[in-house]
Amino acid sequence: TAGSTMYMLYNTYGSSAPTAGTVHNVNNNQFTNINNGVSASSSIFGCYWGGYGYTNNVYNNTFNNISETLLAAGYGNIYVLYPYYYGNTYNIYNNTVSNINLNSTANATTSATTSQVWGVYNYAYYISNMNIYGNTFRDINMNLTTMGTSTTYHGVTAINLYYTGNVSTAVTKIYNNRIFNLRTNESSAYAFASGIRASYTYYGGDIRIYNNMIGGLAAVNSSGASPANGMDLGVLSTSSGTAPVYDIAHNTIYMDTLTGGTGAGFSGIYANMTYANILLRNNVIICKGTANATGKNVCLRLNSATYTNFNSASNNNLYYAGTAAGTNYIFSDGTNNGQTLAAYKALANISPRDQSAYTEDVAFQNTNRWATYNASTWLHVNTTTPTFVESAGIPLASITSDIDGDT
């Protein structure tokens, strides 16, 4: 159909905040084998719910083999999980989102309007607690024949914080998620693939991102400087008057794909510090892919050489970007580059940040995201090989177990 919107599950509260103590559960549902073929612009929503309860729980749901195909010029969007507006607490956990595809036929051309695919798109901003944990996001693709003339960013993201928080005491937690095989193939400087992304307005509170495993992100034809990012952090504006602190700890990011157009590269973590304070501790960031031409393969990429919002307590991270030559870099801020760990540590004004960081090609039990993928071994460290990952981190009282629940 032309200009259609499809909802697999739709539940919204109306125009007022919910009553304290009410609970709304969406659980144990399966949405599979759904294809929406449209002749013009369209959107698909998997689970759209708008704070019907004071506490909103969305868990143990499966969204698999869902696609939208553009049959003519237009744009398409797929929002698998879409929390909206009110609600004191949202808990999104133990869901599986897999094989999600936005396609176009050979004669279809998308318009200048953006097209995107999201695993979670957080549009809830009158909230105090957002918890996204224990989910699997895999095999999410955007395959559009031609991107048109869009100058708005378009692509695929597993978890997107469009809005964040409500008040200074709000807490947003993203943890224990597995994210892999996200891909976009558009020939554009604005095409991207991101595991975890913050993209618009910060309203207040803490943002904690920990114990996530992310790998296999690709923007194969993009010509952007860093179109594929394990994490893409920083918001466009803040209503609170202060930059949010992203407390990022104990995450494993494994980038091993090719990124496309001339000048294109990718990043384990990209941080826009204009409106974000970045605190990095105990993360493992491996970038073993191949940047194109003048592009850079970077473990940690910042948007500025002014480090005021690069938290001085950042430390004990492990970075590896392959052989320190060519397009491989531990660190880049657009002005200063560190191909080796020693060069990064020695950059002016970096200290005391990351002075206890390490570098090594970590031996994992399994890095295969395809036929032999196994959640119990993927990106788990091989315990028979000596590694800095073992006992080289700094203890954090707020994190007492890993993604498997081990202490």
Side-chain angles (χ1 to χ4, degrees):
T1 58
S4 65
T5 299
M6 174 187 290
Y7 299 92
M8 300 175 203
L9 187 153
Y10 180 94
N11 198 335
T12 188
Y13 59 87
S15 59
S16 60
T19 302
T22 58
V23 178
H24 184 210
N25 295 318
V26 178
N27 61 291
N28 299 320
N29 299 286
Q30 293 197 24
F31 302 91
T32 62
N33 302 323
I34 297 170
N35 178 41
N36 187 31
V38 295
S39 59
S41 303
S42 178
S43 296
I44 292 179
F45 292 85
C47 180
Y48 179 112
W49 75 105
Y52 180 82
Y54 190 77
T55 299
N56 300 276
N57 302 309
V58 179
Y59 62 97
N60 294 348
N61 299 287
T62 297
F63 299 85
N64 178 57
N65 196 25
I66 296 168
S67 64
E68 180 169 73
T69 302
L70 302 178
L71 306 176
Y75 65 86
N77 292 291
I78 300 177
Y79 307 87
V80 180
L81 294 161
Y82 192 91
Y84 178 74
Y85 219 47
Y86 280 108
N88 181 73
T89 299
Y90 281 83
N91 298 307
I92 303 170
Y93 61 98
N94 295 349
N95 300 285
T96 298
V97 175
S98 59
N99 196 20
I100 311 297
N101 297 280
L102 176 60
N103 306 308
S104 67
T105 59
N107 64 345
T109 302
T110 59
S111 69
T113 307
T114 186
S115 294
Q116 303 193 42
V117 184
W118 314 93
V120 174
Y121 187 95
N122 180 45
Y123 202 83
Y125 55 97
Y126 288 120
I127 59 172
S128 295
N129 300 283
M130 170 63 74
N131 302 300
I132 304 172
Y133 62 96
N135 304 284
T136 297
F137 302 91
R138 61 172 299 178
D139 306 319
I140 302 175
N141 304 285
M142 194 163 84
N143 305 295
L144 301 183
T145 304
T146 308
M147 197 57 235
T149 58
S150 176
T151 56
T152 302
Y153 285 99
H154 43 263
V156 296
T157 303
I159 301 172
N160 180 66
L161 300 177
Y162 186 79
Y163 289 127
T164 306
N166 178 16
V167 294
S168 61
T169 57
V171 178
T172 297
K173 291 196 250 184
I174 302 174
Y175 62 99
N176 292 1
N177 298 286
R178 292 175 170 86
I179 299 169
F180 56 98
N181 296 348
L182 275 61
R183 182 182 185 273
T184 180
N185 72 349
E186 289 65 52
S187 298
S188 166
Y190 298 92
F192 69 87
S194 298
I196 298 173
R197 186 169 186 251
S199 65
Y200 194 58
T201 300
Y202 168 74
Y203 279 87
D206 297 329
I207 302 170
R208 300 180 56 210
I209 303 173
Y210 60 97
N211 282 356
N212 299 285
M213 291 182 170
I214 302 172
L217 309 181
V220 296
N221 294 311
S222 177
S223 56
S226 184
N229 304 290
M231 296 186 191
D232 184 353
L233 305 174
V235 291
L236 299 179
S237 64
T238 173
S239 68
S240 69
T242 59
V245 175
Y246 288 88
D247 187 351
I248 302 165
H250 291 288
N251 300 283
T252 300
I253 300 174
Y254 190 86
M255 305 287 285
D256 63 347
T257 54
L258 171 68
T259 295
T262 301
F266 54 86
S267 308
I269 293 179
Y270 171 77
N272 183 334
M273 297 185 297
T274 304
Y275 291 111
N277 186 299
I278 308 299
L279 172 60
L280 303 175
R281 295 174 295 178
N282 300 345
N283 299 285
V284 176
I285 305 174
I286 310 293
C287 290
K288 301 175 72 172
T290 304
N292 196 325
T294 58
K296 289 183 176 69
N297 161 36
V298 183
C299 292
L300 174 60
R301 189 190 303 252
L302 307 180
N303 74 318
S304 171
T306 301
Y307 304 140
T308 304
N309 279 342
F310 184 11
N311 197 292
S312 61
S314 297
N315 216 338
N316 296 82
N317 298 290
L318 187 149
Y319 305 103
Y320 182 77
T323 303
T327 62
N328 298 334
Y329 292 84
I330 296 291
F331 173 87
S332 178
D333 60 26
T335 301
N336 305 297
N337 302 297
Q339 283 198 308
T340 66
L341 185 64
Y344 163 47
K345 289 181 178 182
L347 289 174
N349 301 317
I350 281 294
S351 181
R353 304 164 186 86
D354 266 337
Q355 297 306 294
S356 294
Y358 301 89
T359 185
E360 72 176 17
D361 187 2
V362 177
F364 293 108
Q365 295 180 43
N366 181 13
T367 59
N368 191 298
R369 312 179 309 275
W370 304 100
T372 60
Y373 169 77
N374 186 315
S376 65
T377 59
W378 184 65
L379 299 189
H380 286 65
V381 176
N382 187 334
T383 57
T384 65
T385 302
T387 174
F388 289 120
V389 176
E390 177 59 39
S391 301
I394 183 172
L396 301 178
S398 60
I399 303 174
T400 58
S401 61
D402 65 12
I403 194 171
D404 299 313
D406 298 328
T407 57

